[in-house]
Amino acid sequence: MGKILKVDKVYKYFGGVKANENISLAVEEGSIVGLIGPNGSGKTTLFNSIVGTHPIDEGSIQFEGKEVSELPVPVVAKLGLLRTFQQTRIYGKLNCVQNMLISAKPEKDNIFSMFAKIPEELTAKSENLLNFVGLYQKRKLRAGDLSFGQQKLLELAMALMNEPKMLLLDEPTAGINPTLINGIIDRLVTINKEYGITLFVIEHNMRVIMNLAQKIFCLAHGQLLAEGEPEQIKNDKRVIDAYLGAQ
Ligand code: ADP
Ligand code: MG
């Protein structure tokens, strides 16, 4: 398997803040990789840079060999590279199925596709995915009435609607009831193994990321501090110091 994502010497500044500085990393196709680091170390910024939320100041980002650093979010998404958010982005007043339908990209890129009748297969696909994340029974409920954990599962299902090749997940278990965490982990493993989707996961819960990822990157102060297998990272003095230093 080759590298599905290559980040090369990426810099992103916010005024005087070096949010990402000279970051180079590569992600193996079909793998699950983790991104850790203290608060403010630049993890979310890196995800934003990769999916095109903001332009980078220097460097290159290649997805499947194609330069994507100049492309806007919807174009990157169409190539199969999608993200979820630290704070969920759902439509609280709409029900779960409606949220799913809204997140499906139109078949054709023209204004009329917005008014097209919703094909039954799209509704069926929505319901199948809601079933996959355990929300089938709640499909007619307003998304705003779901628990935070259930909203995260809905957001995951919404991302899957577009059949991504790679998903970037920003703290998928943060703020979630411990009983739901295992459910989310199981789904992520299934998404990876059965759907073949490459996963890049920002995660604060060390137990979760150590079990989930085959490889972990650690950021500190906007720079890549360490990379390696979970066992290596767990015992890396620089990583331990970065976390202890941040507390
Ligand atoms: P993490 O996700 O690792 O907690 P972030 O990527 O959110 O870190 O933030 C990295 C640094 O960049 C922080 O100092 C943060 O304040 C700054 N930053 C992030 N986004 C913005 C923004 N839109 N405008 C200004 N500063 C930002
Ligand atoms: Mg963040």
Side-chain angles (χ1 to χ4, degrees), residues 14 17 19-20 37-46 86 170-171 202:
F14 293 109
V17 177
N20 286 160
N39 274 333
S41 58
K43 305 180 297 297
T44 297
T45 301
L46 183 62
Q86 203 166 341
D170 199 344
E171 304 199 22
I202 296 178

Side-chain angles (χ1 to χ4, degrees), residues 31-42:
S31 66
I32 303 181
V33 297
L35 184 61
I36 63 170
N39 274 333
S41 58

